[in-house]
Amino acid sequence: MSADFFYLLDARRPVMGRRALLSVLGASLLVTLLAGCAGSPTIPVATSTETPSVEAETRLWYQANSAFSDGRYSAAIHLYERYLTTYPKSRRANEAHWELGQSYEQMGEVTGALKEYRILAGPEGAPVSSQSVYAERALHRIEALRNQSTVPAGARSGHTALYVSFSNLPPMAQVESWVRQLSAQGVSAILVDASLESSFTRPPTPTVAPTSTPLPTLPTGALFSTSQGPVMTDWFSVLVPQAHEVGMSVFAVLDLFHAPLSDHRQESRMLLYDPTRRKVHPWAQFDLLAPPVQQELAQLLADLLRSGVDGMVFRARAENSFAYEVSDGVLRQFETQVRQPSSEVAQALRERMTVRQDAGALASDKTLWRWVGWKARQELDVLARLKKYLQKAVPRLRMVLEIHPEALSNPTSALVNYGEDAAEARRRGFDLLLGGPSREASDVRAFGGAFKGWSRDVIQSEKGEPQTLPQGWVLLRTPAEHGGGMFTGLAQQADELRTPDIRHLVFVPEAAPAVP
């Protein structure tokens, strides 16, 4: 972006300084005083030179510009988008599109930036003289982004995010003050459970066969409006608008394997194979490879998208049961596509129980590797189709996959136990969230080495256009001194830990945040 530095400087419009503002106010005050000395029989009434609608527009424009100038690019994106939605015919519309494109670039979201620049550039072949003054700059940025092979200069920008479980959310009546407090303390994004089954704090399902004593029934239901399953309460319709009002992003955390669907059919669920007893028993997870489940998930996510969320975080499996998860449909697909009997898969799983469970022992088992590799690729194909479907409607939507630490430190173990292939997921354009227990700052620095450079290695071009770089997220334990919900200083700590590849730091409070 160094060659385009002067374009960026030229694009910034000067803002009235404090001295100029005082001069205008002083002149207005002088006129009022002179009018009072003229012996007017009535007391002059101060009247605004702007209508309420113009004042509101000016205020929103100032908020957006201030966010950009302060480096709060995520907030700037929300505010410029709201400005263009509310005042599409404003004389500042072209400038707003330019600044929005610049904000997207600073966040590393190339796709969103190109969309704004194309609006300014106009139809291909149109004479430049008939276009806006921003057209030439926009054409220059489009060409520069097409030829760009490195991370943009602003690629270090990222979210200082806070994960809030449903049990830690404040009362609905206090959401506005709560959100404004977080924004004032430097928090730029909130990660919130989209259903009670999705929480990072929810205990995993036992992988043993069911006992005679039933497990306690935990509450279920979506926290957004949907026609696909039970709704506990529509939290997102309250939270998202309030967060966007102050320029904060909202990411929905959702566990697709335990999605809040009304589908109770057994054929929609996986079974868990027990190789020691050579039996299968019911499993609570949805079968993502079942076409009816895929259709229901697509509609569920479309309903969630309508709430206005800025991104979705898909939870990883909590249980290391991937290799043993089966269903009639999955086994039939495997036999048809791989042309290998499913009985050989069962035999491979039984043999796995009799050897040491390390990579060396498993490497010789071609059937097992063929099984887990095929199944993991099929599941990732489903997630990629959902991603494409959602981003077609909202191109700027960020899609994040949670992975276990083994996906970086021991990829073969992660593939067998959780069905995770971090390299392939990032090639498909997913952001990756390093899950598991929240970490100390020193751990984040160590994991930074594992992420180093990976986002630049996977730039995919579609029809000659650069795509938004995949980005890294990590869960970080909130320092003890920030207990009680006072998160002052988190933004500074996030800036110190942030790297070009680990862009987003998600702080996880150990106690419920305080409500102002």
Side-chain angles (χ1 to χ4, degrees), residues 7-326:
Y7 277 85
L8 301 183
L9 287 180
D10 187 46
R12 302 297 301 164
R13 295 186 67 175
V15 180
M16 181 178 292
R18 181 179 180 183
R19 181 176 299 176
L21 181 61
L22 289 175
S23 298
V24 173
L25 293 175
S28 301
L29 181 60
L30 180 60
V31 170
T32 304
L33 289 174
L34 290 176
C37 294
S40 174
T42 58
I43 299 176
V45 178
T47 58
S48 173
T49 58
E50 295 183 338
T51 64
S53 62
V54 174
E55 288 180 353
E57 178 184 350
T58 302
R59 183 167 56 254
L60 181 56
W61 179 253
Y62 174 79
Q63 291 172 344
N65 279 343
S66 296
F68 188 98
S69 300
D70 294 343
R72 295 181 291 115
Y73 302 115
S74 175
I77 288 172
H78 283 302
L79 295 169
Y80 282 125
E81 285 183 338
R82 185 148 60 90
Y83 183 88
L84 287 167
T85 300
T86 309
Y87 310 105
K89 297 183 179 181
S90 168
R91 60 184 176 84
R92 299 189 181 105
N94 286 333
E95 186 177 359
H97 282 296
W98 172 263
E99 300 292 5
L100 181 54
Q102 294 284 283
S103 300
Y104 274 128
E105 277 201 66
Q106 291 298 323
M107 290 295 291
E109 299 186 15
V110 180
T111 305
L114 285 172
K115 177 185 175 183
E116 300 306 317
Y117 294 148
R118 288 198 184 93
I119 292 174
L120 293 171
E124 285 193 41
V128 176
S129 59
S130 66
Q131 299 171 354
S132 73
V133 293
Y134 286 95
E136 185 175 355
R137 297 189 184 115
L139 289 169
H140 178 84
R141 290 306 307 145
I142 291 172
E143 183 65 24
L145 289 173
R146 282 174 174 168
N147 298 327
Q148 186 169 272
S149 59
T150 58
V151 177
R156 290 183 64 87
S157 302
H159 282 302
T160 300
L162 187 71
Y163 168 69
V164 186
S165 65
F166 174 73
S167 60
N168 287 346
L169 285 168
M172 282 190 177
Q174 300 182 34
V175 168
E176 180 179 2
S177 58
W178 177 71
V179 165
R180 291 186 179 278
Q181 180 193 23
L182 294 181
S183 177
Q185 294 167 349
V187 175
S188 64
I190 309 174
L191 273 65
V192 184
D193 299 335
S195 72
L196 298 185
E197 299 91 340
S198 303
S199 176
F200 283 107
T201 59
R202 189 180 179 92
T205 304
T207 55
V208 298
T211 62
S212 57
T213 303
L215 294 173
T217 302
L218 298 175
T220 61
L223 302 177
F224 58 95
S225 178
T226 179
S227 60
Q228 297 302 301
V231 177
M232 182 172 181
T233 181
D234 187 3
W235 242 98
F236 280 77
S237 67
V238 177
L239 176 61
V240 174
Q242 293 293 347
H244 287 178
E245 184 72 22
V246 296
M248 291 179 66
S249 299
V250 178
F251 288 77
V253 179
L254 188 62
D255 184 348
L256 297 181
F257 303 107
H258 302 91
L261 299 174
S262 295
D263 188 344
H264 300 295
R265 295 172 299 176
Q266 186 56 50
E267 57 266 30
S268 297
R269 307 276 177 168
M270 298 297 288
L271 299 170
L272 198 64
Y273 178 61
D274 183 349
T276 58
R277 297 182 175 87
R278 300 191 180 192
K279 294 182 179 180
V280 295
H281 63 78
W283 193 228
Q285 283 187 183
F286 279 110
D287 180 4
L288 298 193
L289 301 189
V293 173
Q294 295 172 21
Q295 296 173 6
E296 293 168 354
L297 288 176
Q299 184 57 56
L300 179 78
L301 296 177
D303 292 341
L304 178 57
L305 189 64
R306 277 191 283 272
S307 70
V309 294
D310 304 280
M312 299 182 189
V313 180
F314 292 159
R315 293 292 317 276
R317 279 177 171 80
E319 306 84 13
N320 60 348
S321 57
F322 176 72
Y324 301 96
E325 295 168 11
V326 299

Side-chain angles (χ1 to χ4, degrees), residues 268-468:
S268 297
R269 307 276 177 168
M270 298 297 288
L271 299 170
L272 198 64
Y273 178 61
D274 183 349
T276 58
R277 297 182 175 87
R278 300 191 180 192
K279 294 182 179 180
V280 295
H281 63 78
W283 193 228
Q285 283 187 183
F286 279 110
D287 180 4
L288 298 193
L289 301 189
V293 173
Q294 295 172 21
Q295 296 173 6
E296 293 168 354
L297 288 176
Q299 184 57 56
L300 179 78
L301 296 177
D303 292 341
L304 178 57
L305 189 64
R306 277 191 283 272
S307 70
V309 294
D310 304 280
M312 299 182 189
V313 180
F314 292 159
R315 293 292 317 276
R317 279 177 171 80
E319 306 84 13
N320 60 348
S321 57
F322 176 72
Y324 301 96
E325 295 168 11
V326 299
S327 72
D328 290 340
V330 170
L331 292 174
R332 282 196 298 269
Q333 291 181 51
F334 178 79
E335 291 181 333
T336 301
Q337 298 180 24
V338 183
R339 299 184 184 279
Q340 185 170 5
S342 58
S343 58
E344 295 183 8
V345 174
Q347 178 64 28
L349 292 174
R350 289 195 296 270
E351 291 178 357
R352 181 175 186 259
M353 299 297 293
T354 64
V355 299
R356 290 185 304 109
Q357 296 186 23
D358 58 29
L362 297 173
S364 62
D365 195 332
K366 295 181 180 180
T367 300
L368 179 63
W369 284 113
R370 192 175 293 121
W371 163 248
V372 296
W374 172 85
K375 194 151 69 93
R377 187 167 59 252
Q378 294 298 309
E379 282 196 359
L380 192 55
D381 284 344
V382 171
L383 297 179
R385 288 196 296 271
L386 292 173
K387 173 177 177 289
K388 183 177 181 179
Y389 167 68
L390 296 170
Q391 290 182 332
K392 184 177 181 180
V394 181
R396 67 176 179 82
L397 187 75
R398 295 213 72 89
M399 302 296 292
V400 187
L401 292 185
E402 182 192 12
I403 59 173
H404 289 81
E406 293 93 320
L408 297 178
S409 61
N410 190 349
T412 56
S413 174
L415 183 64
V416 172
N417 293 326
Y418 303 106
E420 295 172 2
D421 186 343
E424 181 63 18
R426 71 189 191 189
R427 192 184 70 79
R428 304 286 186 101
F430 284 99
D431 286 7
L432 298 183
L433 168 66
L434 192 60
S438 52
R439 294 161 183 82
E440 302 291 351
S442 57
D443 298 325
V444 175
R445 295 187 180 95
F447 276 110
F451 273 97
K452 187 175 182 180
W454 67 267
S455 62
R456 288 178 292 239
D457 296 337
V458 295
I459 299 176
Q460 298 289 306
S461 294
E462 185 175 344
K463 297 180 181 179
E465 296 294 342
Q467 304 300 299
T468 297

